[in-house]
């Protein structure tokens, strides 16, 4: 085990104990230091591959704490990480030596059923949000796993079961409360700080600490959803059917395909579907999928939306090792499908999978320049998710993901979804921002000229 580190500035100089004590005395939340009992748990995220040792974790209780933490970090020249749900696969929520501004204690949610809006603090998870909105028969379009943080997800776009009908999560943000690098709390919406409002809808964690979001919620309560699982030897035909089925399906339906193993370790291919409209109509829409070929299991049924949102939680337990590669495809051609099946059959762990997601619909009707999120026309998104339990095997599984991603390159559009990127090159990050990168650099320069918020999919302040 590494010896407890101390708080150091970016030049490697230790920050005096007296300064830390003064900061602690002014803080309402928890200041967690390497010698504290709570530290080991607080420095971890779900992905065991991430092993960082921050010098200090400032678990904020409100906006005043966020302001205090930002000012303390700036005045002492600290490296800064911002933690929402901690789900970024490459551990951007954490840092070594510097300070983590941790929002996980800020989970307040207020739903206004009359206006169909939800105000949500920056540390809430999707599970927290779904629980509150569901009481009013509403839902905010977000991701598909209950433990993901709403903050990181919304700032990078946000795709999930409602994306085709109601758009990306960032398309449903009405306003942001944010603390910028100068320590000022600001509002960003269509009337105030409009450039910031534009940049926050797809520009990631580059512009400050978002303390709360106001979202538009939609009437979604019971959906028709679940998994259909087929044997792996039918994978190519199932994926070809999935491609044609998704192209012609109504926008109420979002469906992903996955080359996975069953919990018993049997290689399989699955389609996970969610229909968010009228249930009788949904039964008709899903009929062709459910009668295709001979599935091993068909668990599609009406369920409360929060239940749909937890169906896949078990596939990503805390403490396993994870490594991801992803890209958008130009098209899901027969040749691309054959290659994907070949790589799935060579997977080095039964926990590893390949997921294909199809969006289009409402998300594609927003103009590329209307928000910072640029990948509006992209259709099939592909993710190689390597997952394993033995730390000594890391290289083997990482190599599988890298080799698979390299081999699919001829079918890639060269574009990427920001939220699925792990540790990637500057060029890949730029490609994810696409034609909006220049404008994002200008907004970054205005609100964060010193690149104070750098541990993210970083946008350099324009020279
Ligand atoms: C198992 C799993 C399933 C996923 N499923 C989906 C999905 O269905 N759809 C989808 O779109 N994405 C999905 N993702 C990707 C997810 O959207 C991103 O990893 C996202 O960054 C997670 O947000 P977070 O707050 O949990 O992350 P964190 O790791 O806490 O933060 C990620 C980034 O956002 C910044 N950030 C976090 N909170 C704030 C804040 N309050 N203010 C400013 N910056 C902040 C961080 O600094 C960091 O750069 C999934 C990820 C995992 C691990």
């Amino acid at each position: 085990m590494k010896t407890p580190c101390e708080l150091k500035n970016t030049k490697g100089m230790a920050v005096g104990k007296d300064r830390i004590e003064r900061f602690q005395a002014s803080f309402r939340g928890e200041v967690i230091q390497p010698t504290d009992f709570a530290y080991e748990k607080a420095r971890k995220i779900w992905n065991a591959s991430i092993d960082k040792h921050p010098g200090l974790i400032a678990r904020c209780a409100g906006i005043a704490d966020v302001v205090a933490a930002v000012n303390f970090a700036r005045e002492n020249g600290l490296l800064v990480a911002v933690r929402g749900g901690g789900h970024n696969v490459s551990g951007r929520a954490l840092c070594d030596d510097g300070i983590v501004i941790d929002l996980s204690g800020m989970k307040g949610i207020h739903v206004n059923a009359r206006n169909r809006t939800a105000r949500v603090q920056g540390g809430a998870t999707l599970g927290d949000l779904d629980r509150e909105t569901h009481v009013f028969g509403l839902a905010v379009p977000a991701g598909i796993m209950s433990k993901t943080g709403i903050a990181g997800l919304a700032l990078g776009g946000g795709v999930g079961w409602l994306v085709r009908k109601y758009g990306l999560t960032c398309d449903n943000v009405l306003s942001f409360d944010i603390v910028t690098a100068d320590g000022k709390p600001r509002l960003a919406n269509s009337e105030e700080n409009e450039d910031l409002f534009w940049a926050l809808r797809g520009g990631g964690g580059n512009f400050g600490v978002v303390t709360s979001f106001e979202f538009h919620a939609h009437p979604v309560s019971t959906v028709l959803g679940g998994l259909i699982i087929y044997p792996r030897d039918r994978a190519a035909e199932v994926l070809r059917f999935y491609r044609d089925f998704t192209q012609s399906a109504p926008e109420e339906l979002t469906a992903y395909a996955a080359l996975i193993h069953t919990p018993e370790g049997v290689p399989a291919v699955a389609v996970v579907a969610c229909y968010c409209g009228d249930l009788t109509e949904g039964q008709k829409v899903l009929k062709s999928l459910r009668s295709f070929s001979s599935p091993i299991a068909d668990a599609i049924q009406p369920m409360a939306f929060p239940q749909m949102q937890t169906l896949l939680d078990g596939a990503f337990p805390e403490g396993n090792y994870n490594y991801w590669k992803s890209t958008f495809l130009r098209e899901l051609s027969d040749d691309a499908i054959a290659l994907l099946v070949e790589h799935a059959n060579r997977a080095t762990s039964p926990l590893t999978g390949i997921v294909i997601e199809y969006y289009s619909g409402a998300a594609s009707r927003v103009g590329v320049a209307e928000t910072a999120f640029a990948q509006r026309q992209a259709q099939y998104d592909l993710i190689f998710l390597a997952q394993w339990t033995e730390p000594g095997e890391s290289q083997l599984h990482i190599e599988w993901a890298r080799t698979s991603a390299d081999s699919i390159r001829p079918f890639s559009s060269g574009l990427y979804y920001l939220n699925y990127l792990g540790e990637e090159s500057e060029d890949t990050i730029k490609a994810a921002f696409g034609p909006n990168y220049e404008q994002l650099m200008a907004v970054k320069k205005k609100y964060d000229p010193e690149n104070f918020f750098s541990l993210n999919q970083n946008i350099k302040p324009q020279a």
Side-chain angles (χ1 to χ4, degrees), residues 46 82 84-88 143-144 149 151-153 158-159 208 210 324 417 419 456:
W46 65 288
V82 180
H87 248 198
N88 173 269
I144 63 163
L153 177 125
V159 294
V210 176
W324 292 6
Y417 174 37
N419 276 347
N456 39 47

Side-chain angles (χ1 to χ4, degrees), residues 53-380:
H53 291 78
L56 190 145
I57 298 167
R59 190 164 286 162
C60 304
I63 298 179
D65 278 354
V66 175
V67 170
V70 167
N71 288 338
F72 176 71
R74 198 187 53 254
E75 285 156 12
N76 290 287
L78 305 179
L79 188 63
V80 176
V82 180
R83 178 175 183 151
H87 248 198
N88 173 269
V89 69
S90 60
R92 291 178 200 271
L94 300 172
C95 60
D96 280 317
D97 301 332
I99 184 171
V100 174
I101 302 179
D102 180 345
L103 288 243
S104 63
M106 291 174 60
K107 291 174 180 286
I109 296 166
H110 176 75
V111 179
N112 183 330
R114 182 177 297 222
N115 296 345
R116 291 190 179 160
T117 59
R119 181 161 285 286
V120 184
Q121 283 191 309
T125 62
L126 307 194
D128 299 328
L129 177 55
D130 287 328
R131 181 173 157 79
E132 296 301 324
T133 51
H134 187 65
V135 172
F136 301 98
L138 298 171
V140 172
I144 63 163
M145 206 123 337
S146 72
K147 289 183 178 166
T148 304
I150 190 71
L153 177 125
L155 291 165
V159 294
W161 299 130
L162 306 180
V163 63
R164 288 171 44 74
K165 178 71 179 164
Y166 297 116
L168 299 163
T169 311
C170 70
D171 298 336
N172 287 279
V173 182
L174 299 168
S175 74
F176 299 86
D177 282 312
I178 182 169
V179 176
T180 43
D182 53 8
K184 280 201 183 128
R186 298 173 199 258
L187 179 69
N189 61 23
S190 58
E191 285 161 10
E192 218 168 304
N193 298 311
E194 287 160 65
D195 51 357
L196 192 54
F197 183 51
W198 176 87
L200 289 168
R201 288 174 292 158
N206 274 283
F207 305 97
V209 184
V210 176
T211 52
S212 71
F213 300 77
E214 189 185 7
F215 289 108
H216 186 195
H218 301 272
V220 175
S221 186
T222 302
V223 295
L224 187 61
L227 277 91
I228 304 192
I229 302 175
Y230 308 85
R232 176 69 64 78
D233 57 14
R234 314 296 293 271
E237 63 181 292
V238 170
L239 291 181
R240 288 197 295 266
F241 177 83
Y242 164 79
R243 174 191 59 204
D244 302 339
F245 175 70
T246 45
Q247 294 278 339
S248 58
E251 292 183 358
E252 282 78 9
L253 186 90
T254 297
Y256 297 170
L259 293 153
I260 48 165
H261 287 75
T262 65
E264 299 75 33
V266 179
V269 55
V271 176
V272 196
C274 175
Y275 186 88
C276 67
D278 174 75
L279 296 189
T280 314
E281 193 53 37
Q283 296 284 10
K284 286 187 210 153
V285 169
L286 283 163
K287 198 164 170 218
S288 62
L289 174 67
R290 302 182 79 177
S291 51
F292 175 75
S293 193
S294 312
I296 310 172
D298 173 354
I300 293 189
Q301 57 193 294
M303 63 181 81
F305 186 64
Q307 190 188 340
M308 181 77 215
Q309 292 284 85
T310 55
L311 277 189
L312 305 177
D313 280 7
F316 294 92
E318 300 268 324
N320 280 358
Y321 295 79
N322 291 265
Y323 181 86
W324 292 6
K325 294 294 278 183
S326 82
T327 182
F328 282 112
L329 294 176
R330 268 187 286 111
E331 54 170 341
L332 187 56
S333 64
D334 289 357
D335 288 347
I337 287 174
L339 199 58
L340 291 176
V341 175
E342 194 185 314
H343 282 282
N345 291 345
R346 280 199 219 136
T348 46
S349 157
L351 301 172
T352 283
I354 300 178
V355 173
I356 304 165
E357 302 185 351
Y358 179 69
Y359 314 136
S360 192
S364 66
R365 283 194 294 276
V366 178
V368 167
E370 268 182 66
T371 69
F373 187 89
Q375 311 303 343
R376 298 283 177 182
Q377 303 313 319
Q379 297 197 338
Y380 292 97

